[in-house]
Amino acid sequence: MRPSPAAREVIVMYATVEDMVRPAQGTSQTRDRLETTVSSSGATAGGAVTQELEHRPDAAGAARAITRAVLVDWHANQDAVESVLLVVSELVTNAVEHALPPVALHLYLDRGGDQVWVGVTDGGPAQDDGAWTSSCTQEEHGRGLAVVEMLATSHGTRNHPGGTSTHWARLTVHETEA
């Protein structure tokens, strides 16, 4: 399902990953950055999309709908789409359950068009867990980052000045031809 034209207008384009993920504090990861350029058409490799989300339990569903529409525009293969959607869902759910608002979803397609960098920025750790986490047993949650680790080629967290954090993952969306 594609977002309406009005919904697409709220998608903010960024020139590079560095514009969104400014030099981070306390991180040694460097493989999280993709060289990206803004594209006017999602089908062009090198696209970047950012969407603010409401800090609510249904944010993961909204993020999946946005991500699916973007990945269709970027012509990602279907198996990859399902993996990216699962990672987006896990990262957004973690932001809503364990962090403060605001929540923003970032999607970047590398210039080669083979990998997507997914980032979810939140307002930093919350003092208390969200309603869902607080209402369930330990066995009912806690596997999300293991899922991300299994599906992503790399993942991590970037801490920004002011206490915000971006939790990110890179996934292959097109197989490179030998």
Side-chain angles (χ1 to χ4, degrees):
M1 181 177 140
R2 293 192 128 155
S4 68
R8 283 184 170 257
E9 288 178 8
V10 297
I11 295 175
V12 179
M13 302 299 265
Y14 285 91
T16 66
V17 171
E18 286 76 17
D19 287 341
M20 190 60 223
V21 186
R22 296 277 179 207
Q25 298 175 336
T27 181
S28 61
Q29 300 281 353
T30 57
R31 295 184 343 169
D32 62 335
R33 295 185 183 184
L34 295 178
E35 294 182 18
T36 61
T37 58
V38 170
S39 63
S40 58
S41 166
T44 304
V49 174
T50 290
Q51 174 68 54
E52 288 191 34
L53 303 167
E54 292 187 42
H55 192 270
R56 302 169 27 134
D58 59 357
R64 284 190 304 271
I66 293 162
T67 301
R68 183 178 297 280
V70 169
L71 293 175
V72 166
D73 284 350
W74 288 346
H75 305 292
N77 79 39
Q78 190 57 40
D79 289 337
V81 168
E82 297 306 319
S83 294
V84 174
L85 291 175
L86 186 53
V87 167
V88 163
S89 188
E90 294 295 341
L91 294 179
V92 172
T93 298
N94 283 349
V96 171
E97 286 296 310
H98 304 293
L100 298 169
V103 176
L105 170 67
H106 315 286
L107 302 167
Y108 302 96
L109 181 64
D110 72 345
R111 285 187 179 152
D114 296 327
Q115 290 198 336
V116 168
W117 183 90
V118 174
V120 175
T121 301
D122 60 49
Q127 186 172 355
D128 298 312
D129 284 333
W132 181 81
T133 301
S134 300
S135 70
C136 61
T137 67
Q138 184 64 31
E139 295 79 35
E140 292 179 284
H141 65 89
R143 294 179 288 275
L145 291 180
V147 170
V148 171
E149 186 170 309
M150 183 178 70
L151 296 173
T153 58
S154 60
H155 70 96
T157 299
R158 296 184 61 102
N159 298 310
H160 308 288
T164 62
S165 299
T166 301
H167 306 276
W168 58 268
R170 285 178 61 159
L171 294 98
T172 300
V173 294
H174 293 104
E175 294 300 322
T176 55
E177 296 181 22

